Amino acid sequence: MSAVANLSAGAVEPTVKPLAAACYDNNLVNSQGMFLGDQPLRFALPLLLVQVSVILVLSAAAHVVLRRLGQSRFVTHMLVGVFLGPTVLGRSESFRGVLFSERGTYILESVSLVALILFLFSMGVKTDLSLLRRPSGRAVAVGITGALVPLAVTLPVFHALQPSLPEDLRGSSLVTELAVRLSLSSFPVIADALSDLDLLNTDLGRIALTASLITDVTSWFLRACSAAVFLVSEAKSPAFTAQILASFVAFVLFVGFVARPAGRYIAYKRTPAGSLLSEGSFVVVVIAALLSALVTDAIGFKYMIGPMMLGLALPGGMPIGATMTERLDSFFIALFLPVYMALSGYRTDLSKPEASTEKWCALELFVALCVSGKLVGCVAAGLFFAMPFRDAAVLALMLNIRGIVEVAAINNWGDTMKATAEHYSTLTLSMVLITAVSTPLIKLLYDPSGQFVKAKRRTLEDARPSADLRVLTCLYSEDHAAPLIDLLEASGASRDSPVSLIVLHLTELVGRAASVLKPHRKSSSGGGNPTPSDRIVNAFRYLEQQQASPGAITVSPYVAQAPYSSMHHDVCSLAHSRKANLILLPFHKSSDGARSTANNAIRSINRAVLQYAPCSVAILVDHGLAAGSACATSANSLLQRVALYFLGGPDDREALAYAARMPEAGGVSLTVVRFKLRNWVGMGGRDEVRDEEVLHDFWTRHRDNERVVYVEKTVEDAEGTASVVRSMSEKFDLLIVGRRGGDDDLEGSAALTSGLSDWSEFPELGVLGDMLSSAEFASKVSILVIQQQPSRSAAAAGRASSIND
């Protein structure tokens, strides 16, 4: 290694890695067992297995504790390495000699470097360069300003103080390279951190990803150019210079004009739509990634450049990106990348009492200047674009997160003797501290759902009966399209009472690093085969075209790809920006008549939307509503008999406001069943008065409509309510109920359902909705449960507790 060469040249500074070659018998690979006299840990394979196991077990145990403090896995792995290193356990010579001898760490590091290469390749594949086509002004300003300000602050200070700095920093390029590295934000690191924080698809998360991608792509390009300049400057002849440039240009041309078309051919021609790569294609792609690192390393460039360039050239998403996530990230990278970070922490030595305070303070000064300069630059750019100060500060913290890319750079400085062991320890500890402080602060300062809780509520109850009904219809799969379309067809759309549909197809983020929320565009890849999003949008376009009155229904399609854990951000954000009155969600359970299946991820999303939505929310429980129809018309609609059970309260009034639109279409008959408690004397509360006003207005408007029936049922208690519901429900095609039909603040309606929620299976459906969705009622009657969002955040907090019970 280069360290050995420097030793022969007379280097005296302590190095990061051992300088002496580890000599051992090449046959010491497999042990014959301790019962035959062998010591297993003297052999390469048993030692490797023990090292990996120790690191992974300690990392898993430590992360259980540290994640509760808001710490990332990067911090956990690095601290485990420090714990195993000479700072703590490694003080023992016998411990180091048995578990982490020089020959053992060389083998471990070689395997972990392969994991680093494949990680960079996988992140390159999952990087969406389309983010750079039309980046927002805020992202460009934050990215550029956040990179230039720390350089503008650090480099002049370095040149001014250079004569007084310690000798190992005075004549070294370490400070300059450190300033360049810390002025940038690594896209793989930011994407991984935001994914752990469930912030990928938030407003600030998208700005941070785009800003980091702008600086990262620029830095990779400049890094390649600087490496070329360095090699050319070291060339001994023009012919040697020509060979260097020709080799790199040939590699770039190969990636652009051979590897990229071959990758697209494998992805779109040889792989069926919706499938992962075949085993043979997967092996070819992985071999190409390893060879790209070999080629760039062989021609004198860093091994990290090749995998990143190749990854960026290949198409992300399905199937290549998804295959990398499924087969590579979840096993090999997840197994050995923590080892790489733990080894970096292992080489961090904080135990030496002779460490120079002057050297430590000098290096930390430049680290602090870089970090504070980046914070100031990002905040200033955010404030220039009228961002709230807190959001600008959070964005600056996001872009200051450090991780494996920075550690790889520090390791490279150690390998090339730019950083001594003391420098190495100082820098790695600094990276850990920066990230350890940033991630908890981001969690503390940024609540992406807060903007929806504070937003003005839009309800159907407060809207004019003939006003434009703006419905955000969410679908997780093609199977959800038919029942939702039939419901919307029966929703009373006309030219005088139009319905604006915002159709959102939600899919899990797989094979990409950045989330997506954008208007739908017909897919131009995949050999002309329509994607699931294309087919969903086509069905809703057909609904739009089949309306008797032009303009009765207008469709605006969107697609979103995000992790399930934060997918509700996209739903609420789109509802807020498009000023929707109602969010329409499919239930998480579906049935084909023979069996039912449940998707708990969808249930979690629905519950989060109920908690944070800026408008009313409805969940459709489909029990054979569509029966395979793609788009019903008013003449053959499967929804001809609809009943509304009205117990009282805001949710029931919201349900009545929606149901009142249905008879206007002429093809739906509506029965409103009002439940009253016998011998109940109302308390005259605001909700009770409002209930009477709404019912009176409804009946006044529809008393002459023969398709509208109003019925009052007087019951003794909750058992009477259940009996009436049980006897009447089979007469209808759809039942509409309010989710909060039994709120404690409405004593009358609470008594109507008291005790019915004791065995509640799905609290998100409310008391009646849960009862109607049970096996006793689940015949061919579908249920629509509607919730009116409260106008105050305190009410939202109460609603959240009831949803999560």
Side-chain angles (χ1 to χ4, degrees), residues 687-752:
D687 274 314
E688 292 181 6
V689 173
R690 182 60 180 161
D691 289 345
E692 296 299 330
E693 291 176 352
V694 167
L695 287 170
H696 180 267
D697 292 343
F698 167 78
W699 184 238
T700 301
R701 191 168 75 252
H702 294 284
R703 68 171 62 191
D704 297 328
N705 190 337
E706 61 182 9
R707 291 184 174 274
V708 178
V709 177
Y710 176 78
V711 179
E712 290 189 352
K713 295 289 185 179
T714 302
V715 297
E716 298 284 349
D717 49 22
E719 185 177 346
T721 302
S723 177
V724 171
V725 169
R726 188 178 295 109
S727 64
M728 296 186 65
S729 295
E730 294 184 356
K731 302 174 183 178
F732 303 99
D733 304 315
L734 175 68
L735 303 175
I736 302 178
V737 297
R739 181 183 168 266
R740 292 189 299 162
D743 271 5
D744 292 338
D745 58 341
L746 295 171
E747 296 183 16
S749 61
L752 290 170

Side-chain angles (χ1 to χ4, degrees), residues 363-621:
L363 198 54
E364 281 298 319
L365 169 65
F366 296 113
V367 173
L369 285 175
C370 292
V371 173
S372 58
K374 192 168 187 65
L375 287 171
V376 171
C378 293
V379 170
L383 295 178
F384 179 80
F385 281 87
M387 291 179 63
F389 178 80
R390 174 175 285 196
D391 287 356
V394 170
L395 183 58
L397 289 171
M398 289 179 176
L399 291 172
N400 254 314
I401 293 175
R402 305 299 166 182
I404 189 170
V405 173
E406 286 74 23
V407 168
I410 297 171
N411 278 327
N412 178 61
W413 297 334
D415 291 343
T416 56
M417 297 292 291
K418 293 177 182 176
T420 65
E422 188 175 321
H423 295 154
Y424 181 92
S425 299
T426 302
L427 292 177
T428 51
L429 181 62
S430 299
M431 299 305 105
V432 172
L433 288 176
I434 291 169
T435 303
V437 171
S438 297
T439 49
L441 281 178
I442 292 171
K443 281 189 172 182
L444 178 65
L445 296 176
Y446 186 46
D447 178 13
S449 301
Q451 59 176 318
F452 309 126
V453 174
K454 298 175 184 177
K456 179 182 178 181
R457 296 297 192 252
R458 290 179 295 276
T459 66
L460 301 176
E461 180 186 356
D462 297 331
R464 291 180 292 105
S466 60
D468 181 15
L469 176 63
R470 305 178 68 85
V471 181
L472 173 57
T473 306
C474 301
L475 305 93
Y476 301 100
S477 70
E478 296 177 68
D479 295 336
H480 295 148
L484 290 172
I485 285 176
D486 283 326
L487 173 63
L488 292 165
E489 174 66 25
S491 296
S494 65
R495 179 180 297 179
D496 297 329
S497 184
V499 175
S500 296
L501 289 182
I502 305 110
V503 179
L504 178 61
H505 181 206
L506 295 157
T507 56
E508 184 182 13
L509 182 67
V510 177
R512 293 190 184 276
S515 63
V516 175
L517 175 60
K518 61 183 180 181
H520 172 266
R521 297 287 182 268
K522 187 174 181 181
S523 176
S524 58
S525 61
N529 296 323
T531 64
S533 295
D534 293 336
R535 291 190 286 269
I536 287 172
V537 172
N538 289 340
F540 280 90
R541 290 293 188 196
Y542 184 75
L543 168 68
E544 180 183 31
Q545 295 166 5
Q546 292 301 305
Q547 296 303 302
S549 302
I553 292 181
T554 57
V555 176
S556 301
Y558 287 80
V559 293
Q561 290 181 331
Y564 280 138
S565 57
S566 59
M567 196 173 281
H568 65 280
H569 291 320
D570 286 334
V571 177
C572 297
S573 176
L574 188 59
H576 181 63
S577 63
R578 293 301 304 267
K579 299 181 179 179
N581 305 103
L582 180 68
I583 298 174
L584 185 56
L585 301 168
F587 192 47
H588 72 278
K589 291 185 69 174
S590 59
S591 175
D592 58 5
R595 60 180 181 177
S596 61
T597 57
N599 188 322
N600 289 326
I602 292 178
R603 185 185 186 190
S604 298
I605 298 168
N606 289 351
R607 289 156 68 105
V609 172
L610 284 168
Q611 180 176 349
Y612 296 114
C615 61
S616 299
V617 182
I619 297 179
L620 176 63
V621 184

Side-chain angles (χ1 to χ4, degrees), residues 18 33 53 69 94 112 121 172 294 301 358 406 410 428 451 533 564 568 644 705 715 741:
S53 300
L69 303 177
S94 59
S112 63
F121 169 72
S172 170
L294 172 64
F301 293 79
E358 180 185 4
E406 286 74 23
I410 297 171
T428 51
Q451 59 176 318
S533 295
Y564 280 138
H568 65 280
L644 167 69
N705 190 337
V715 297

Side-chain angles (χ1 to χ4, degrees), residues 618-697:
I619 297 179
L620 176 63
V621 184
D622 174 43
H623 289 150
L625 176 64
S629 70
C631 182
T633 64
S634 59
N636 65 359
S637 175
L638 298 176
L639 282 177
Q640 297 180 0
R641 299 166 299 170
V642 178
L644 167 69
Y645 293 141
F646 190 98
L647 281 70
D651 287 354
D652 284 26
R653 296 196 299 269
E654 194 74 0
L656 181 62
Y658 181 81
R661 301 176 64 99
M662 290 185 164
E664 305 293 341
V668 176
S669 61
L670 173 65
T671 300
V672 177
V673 182
R674 168 76 184 284
F675 285 86
K676 286 187 173 182
L677 192 65
R678 191 182 302 277
N679 299 325
W680 168 254
V681 178
M683 303 298 292
R686 183 178 60 181
D687 274 314
E688 292 181 6
V689 173
R690 182 60 180 161
D691 289 345
E692 296 299 330
E693 291 176 352
V694 167
L695 287 170
H696 180 267
D697 292 343

